[in-house]
Amino acid sequence: ETGVTQSPTHLIKTRGQQVTLRCSSQSGHNTVSWYQQALGQGPQFIFQYYREEENGRGNFPPRFSGLQFPNYSSELNVNALELDDSALYLCASSPGQGPGEQYFGPGTRLTVT
Amino acid sequence: SQQGEEDPQALSIQEGENATMNCSYKTSINNLQWYRQNSGRGLVHLILIRSNEREKHSGRLRVTLDTSKKSSSLLITASRAADTASYFCARTFTGRGSTLGRLYFGRGTQLTVWP
């Protein structure tokens, strides 16, 4: 157990809808990263937040947005859902924005129909 | 591209045998990390090796890094059925425009260990 929690575990949405996924970081961690993992693929970096500011972004459109709160919990919001957004969404926390070990949550499985 | 690949894509062995997985990459790294994922769940960090290190051990795990060949390998000795999982290497890079803590993953190796 890493101490990182995510909710919900599973979610089914319809194309065009909006979704919010939540992540609670490990105690003392001020950095959170979000990854998308399609079936049979490795995780792809969406973005990273450090002390409530976006600190870097992968190749994802603006309809993927995030927030980090003062307690370092985090949200991933996806607007105008597309079928290709179906994936496992993983958040990972770390004690800083450096290149060290990251602590992953169990993920949220999103299905878009 | 910052991507790399693991090979083989799938590996099937008997309990007690050793499992070796390889990871290649294309540009200079800051460090390379190996993660394990059980059946579509979260990833668990196994080991981190820095670019100036050549070998690290952790229990039954041994990781090597050859920066001249831009490759790494993960060896699991005396494998057990509980080692069945997907294994990913993740690279971090330094350099202009890169996010320091961003992990670049390949597609992983699916390891199956039969009792």
Side-chain angles (χ1 to χ4, degrees), chain B residues 18-93:
Chain B
N18 295 342
T20 300
M21 288 158 269
N22 302 297
C23 169
S24 63
Y25 56 91
K26 296 181 180 177
T27 58
S28 295
I29 58 169
N30 180 292
N31 65 48
L32 187 145
Q33 304 176 32
W34 285 89
Y35 287 82
R36 166 195 167 124
Q37 183 178 40
N38 282 27
S39 190
R41 296 188 56 77
L43 281 77
V44 175
H45 183 267
L46 296 176
I47 202 163
L48 180 154
I49 187 164
R50 293 181 175 79
S51 60
N52 62 351
E53 297 176 314
R54 292 298 166 256
E55 187 170 314
K56 286 190 84 168
H57 296 254
S58 177
R60 293 185 295 114
L61 307 181
R62 172 179 168 248
V63 168
T64 60
L65 179 65
D66 186 335
T67 53
S68 66
K69 294 181 179 178
K70 293 185 169 56
S71 67
S72 173
S73 67
L74 170 67
L75 169 67
I76 304 174
T77 59
S79 62
R80 306 165 181 166
D83 294 329
T84 295
S86 292
Y87 291 83
F88 294 91
C89 73
R91 301 153 282 270
T92 67
F93 301 93

Side-chain angles (χ1 to χ4, degrees), chain A residues 21-37:
Chain A
L21 310 181
R22 295 180 174 83
C23 172
S24 179
S25 299
Q26 184 162 319
S27 177
H29 288 186
N30 57 18
T31 303
V32 65
S33 300
W34 284 90
Y35 294 83
Q36 180 196 66
Q37 186 178 21

Side-chain angles (χ1 to χ4, degrees), chain B residues 6-22:
Chain B
E6 289 94 332
D7 78 88
Q9 289 188 24
L11 181 60
S12 186
I13 59 174
Q14 295 289 132
E15 266 193 330
E17 294 181 338
N18 295 342
T20 300
M21 288 158 269
N22 302 297

Side-chain angles (χ1 to χ4, degrees), chain A residues 11-12 72 89 93 95-96 101 112:
Chain A
L11 201 52
I12 299 174
Y72 302 134
Y89 288 85
S93 73
E101 173 183 353
V112 182

